[in-house]
Each structure stands twice: as C-alpha cells, then as structure tokens.
Amino acid sequence: MPTQTANLFERAFKKLVPYGFEAVAGRRAAPDIMNLDAELPETDLARVREWVDNCLDAHAGQVEARNRAAMLGRMYLKLSHTGKVRFLGMLAEEYGIDDAGVEQAINGWQNAQNGDRARKAHHLRKALEPAHNRLLKQFTGVPSGVKFLVDMREELLSLKKEYSTLESLEADLKELLATWFDVGLLQLEELSWNSSAALLEKLIAYEAVHEIQSWSDLKNRLDSDRRCFAFIHPNMPEEPLIFVEVALVNGLAGSVQKLLDEQAPTQDIDSADTAIFYSISNAQPGLAGISFGNFLIKEVVKKLSGEFPQLKQFATLSPIPGFAKWLENCPPATLCELPGGEQWLSLPAPRVVSVIEANEAMETRQEALTKLAAAYLCQSKKGKRALDPVAHFHLSNGAQVARLNWMGDVSQKGLKQSAGLMVNYLYELPKIEQRSEQYTSEGVVSQSSAIKKLQK
C-alpha cells in the first residue's frame, strides 16, 4: 500500500487510541502484535491469530473491537510481501464459513415451526457470513479504515494471480465494497482550481488517459471553458473514486492535442454547443469491477444540461487502446475479409502503426487504418461484448460510435495503441437507455451513417 495510506492510518490510530497498545488490551491478556517479524513466521502468526480471535469475540464491546481493528491495520502495514501473503492466507483459509455452524443452522431452519421460521432464516444468513467479513467490517469504524480496505483489495487483486487461496477473500471484500460504494451513497463534486491542494494532487496522480504534464496544464484543464467532476465517498473525502474531464466547444472535437493546447484561446461558453468528455479515469484500483462510470456520465450530463441549456451534443473524444494490438495479431486471411484489410496488406512491410511518415502511401494508409478501426470497434467482439474496453464502456452506457478522427492523438501512447486515431462516442439523451439495452442484451452497436459507410 502507498506510504501515504500508511501514514494516514498511523495518524488515525493515534487519534483513535491516544494511549497506545495498553488501551486495547481489553478484558483479557492480549498478544503484542506491534513487535512482530515482518515476514510473519508461524510463531508470530499464532499471536496474530489470537488477536483476530479477540477482535471477533462476540462479548467484546464495539469500541474495543474498533480499537483492535486499528491495531491490526497498523500491524498489517508493517508486514513484508511474504508477511502479507501469510496474514491474508490465514484470513482466507481459517476465517471463512463455519461448515458445522451452517449445517446446524440449515437443520434449525428446516425443522422450524411457521412462527419461528423467519428467526431461523436470519440465523442461517448469519451463519453463511464468513468470519473474515465480520473482521473487515470493523475497519469501517476506524478513520481512514475504508481507504485501508480499498488498498487491501488492490493488493489482493495482484496476489490472487499467484495465490489462488486468496480468491475467496478478494471476492468477499469486493462484495462488501460494492455495498459500501453504492452510487446512491456517492457525492458528485465539481473540481476547480480552487479545490483543495490534496484533491488537485490526486487529479494529477490519477489521470490515466492523457497525463497531466504540469500545474499549468492542470490549470488549463480547469479553465472557464472546462469542467471536471468526480465521485467522492463520504468516508474518503480527499480521494476521488473516478473523475471525468469535460471541454465545452463548438462541434465534435477531433484532436486531443488541440483540445489541450495551453495557447489556444478560451472558448466562449455561452456559445458552446457541445460538451466533450475527453478523459475518464478510475482513481482507485482497489475498486476495480465496481462500476461508477455510467452513473458519473449521466449525472454530469444532467448537471451540464441544467447549467448550459444551449448544449446540443454530449460526446467523447476517446482513444482506441486495443486497436494496434488487435491489428498486429489479426491473421491476413481475416484481414482480407474486412474493409481496409487488403489495402493495409498491400503496403510494404514492415507495417508499423506507431510510425506515421508523410510519403506516397499516406493516403492509402489513412484509408486502410480508418476502415479497419471502424470494423474493429463495431464488428470485433468477445461474445456480445465489444473487444475494445473503451468501446464496451461507452456502448454499454448507451452511446453511439459517431466519428473516427485521423491523427486525433499523435502522442507516443496514442500512436502505439490507437495508430493515432480517436473516436467520438455520441450520447443522444432520448436514445441512451434504448441503445444501452440493445447492446447489453443483443450486442447491437449503434453506429452513425459515417461509420457504417467506412465498413462497406
């Protein structure tokens, strides 16, 4: 976990338990878990196991349980990679579901009389809850505890690839986080140059689509003709969960370099007719798989519509991150069946999408890559799902593939991943729900007439 998170947790613990270890000793003798070997050998693991048992003691008070959880969190942050694997493995394997307790609860429910059936069903639901879930829930009462759990899941997502025994713990933690981070509990916040320095620093650090180069670059992205919105959780007020950057312009934007040009004149927002979503970044890897983006876009559209009633279009300027890799791995026989495929194969080898040179083949290259990109976005699927992750995100939200832009992103990353192409996904408010349903249930990709033409 990041050092910053560790420091936050340390400060939170000292505030919560000002008298240190002795304050959480509780009713019975407690093992000292703050002086353990970072590798967590078996003798130290036994001490941690005893501490966890004390945390889960049903007779202990809520305050004592919360204080013990804080100590456990401090201990975890001091562990090495090996120590964390051992600790998390212990939670996954030894503090799961009590099989005997579940069988007893099932028998009790099956044999219950009608008047007692509801109570026995409640007992059964409680028996089906893993013990480690009860432990993890205690962290929600600790300052910075929710962020601690988000970062713990980030580590679990990485560790479970090598240690399959951690999969159940990661899945259980994901379910808990999905409940705690329900969109109904999130707050939409507009970020501006006047926002806290902590939030602005996070904006710079978490921008995943178009890297923020400097403070002047950030200030330009927060100018009067720009907007930035984020979802914030009440328990993580200085940590954006996901954010979207918006430019208010005239017509569909086709070049991200022009959009981010610090020397370009500021747009008159009263005359702007289009809102361009040019960057959407998930800020918390530990919340992967818990969707906020579709709700964020809809909330931002609603807010912008109210503030700027003259806006006629809501669209993105998006990368096509899987295009170059797909093209590289696509067999020649398959390419020949796609629009632009034969043109692409007719170009002299090596055909490298990340190197664009002005020569006699440029026109052929542009036509071939643009047609192939249209085919990739609209025809290449895994089941009903678009192969490109960004395309899937916007199509599932109800957008239309509206326009492809040659040399829309000439950065090294843009050329390497997307052959310099960018795509506008159009959000037409009256049609969003219908398009989302058609894509989700049938895999139908909504396409503009220009995109359809490219595939003929």
Side-chain angles (χ1 to χ4, degrees), residues 69-379:
M71 286 290 287
L72 193 65
R74 286 187 72 202
M75 180 279 299
Y76 178 83
L77 293 171
K78 295 178 182 292
L79 295 177
S80 65
H81 173 84
T82 300
K84 288 180 178 179
V85 170
R86 288 175 176 168
F87 171 75
L88 294 170
M90 180 193 74
L91 289 186
E93 297 180 53
E94 300 180 31
Y95 291 90
I97 295 174
D98 178 5
D99 293 341
V102 170
E103 288 184 11
Q104 184 179 355
I106 290 174
N107 290 332
W109 175 72
Q110 289 176 330
N111 298 319
Q113 301 300 316
N114 288 338
D116 199 33
R117 201 166 180 81
R119 185 173 66 87
K120 293 296 184 179
H122 175 73
H123 288 169
L124 176 56
R125 287 194 296 271
K126 295 291 287 183
L128 287 169
E129 180 182 29
H132 54 236
N133 275 23
R134 292 191 284 118
L135 177 69
L136 296 173
K137 287 177 181 178
Q138 292 179 358
F139 285 94
T140 61
V142 179
S144 300
V146 173
K147 172 61 175 169
F148 170 81
L149 293 175
V150 170
D151 289 342
M152 177 184 280
R153 180 166 179 257
E154 180 182 352
E155 291 189 312
L156 279 167
L157 286 169
S158 175
L159 292 172
K160 75 173 187 177
K161 298 174 184 177
E162 185 176 356
Y163 305 96
S164 59
T165 54
L166 299 179
E167 289 181 358
S168 61
L169 178 62
E170 183 277 318
D172 288 336
L173 181 52
K174 178 185 178 181
E175 287 189 10
L176 289 175
L177 291 173
T179 300
W180 298 334
F181 286 86
D182 182 270
V183 291
L185 302 175
L186 305 183
Q187 301 166 353
L188 181 67
E189 184 169 329
E190 182 174 348
L191 306 185
S192 71
W193 189 245
N194 295 321
S195 296
S196 71
L199 271 176
L200 294 181
E201 286 178 348
K202 297 291 172 54
L203 187 58
I204 293 175
Y206 294 148
E207 167 57 75
V209 184
H210 304 294
E211 182 181 354
I212 298 175
Q213 303 294 331
S214 63
W215 282 99
S216 62
D217 182 9
L218 176 62
K219 191 172 184 178
N220 180 56
R221 299 190 192 202
L222 299 174
D223 209 339
S224 61
D225 59 344
R226 305 299 165 93
R227 295 293 184 271
C228 181
F229 298 93
F231 266 152
I232 304 290
H233 191 278
N235 283 356
M236 293 168 53
E238 295 295 333
E239 286 282 346
L241 309 182
I242 184 173
F243 59 87
V244 58
E245 297 171 69
V246 187
L248 303 177
V249 298
N250 285 318
L252 293 178
S255 167
V256 73
Q257 275 74 38
K258 291 181 180 178
L259 206 62
L260 297 178
D261 183 2
E262 295 180 43
Q263 306 305 317
T266 303
Q267 170 76 40
D268 177 9
I269 57 175
D270 292 328
S271 66
D273 62 10
T274 303
I276 293 290
F277 299 78
Y278 64 89
S279 179
I280 302 174
S281 297
N282 287 301
Q284 305 295 327
L287 295 177
I290 301 173
S291 179
F292 308 118
N294 54 343
F295 297 100
L296 178 63
I297 289 176
K298 291 173 183 176
E299 287 297 308
V300 171
V301 167
K302 187 189 305 181
K303 187 173 180 63
L304 290 174
S305 297
E307 186 177 356
F308 303 103
Q310 81 277 11
L311 292 176
K312 298 176 181 178
Q313 292 187 112
F314 296 89
T316 76
L317 181 60
S318 301
I320 316 174
F323 176 53
K325 185 176 181 180
W326 167 82
L327 182 58
E328 181 182 345
N329 295 323
C330 197
T334 302
L335 282 176
C336 286
E337 298 177 359
L338 295 173
E342 290 187 355
Q343 288 173 291
W344 176 248
L345 293 172
S346 71
L347 294 172
R351 293 175 289 273
V352 182
V353 299
S354 60
V355 179
I356 306 295
E357 297 177 349
N359 53 40
E360 65 278 0
M362 177 57 73
E363 186 175 339
T364 301
R365 182 187 183 92
Q366 177 178 345
E367 184 177 352
L369 286 174
T370 304
K371 287 183 174 181
L372 285 167
Y376 168 68
L377 291 172
C378 301
Q379 299 179 33

Side-chain angles (χ1 to χ4, degrees), residues 13-26:
F13 168 80
K14 290 176 181 177
K15 181 179 179 181
L16 181 67
V17 192
Y19 300 105
F21 175 79
E22 293 78 7
V24 297

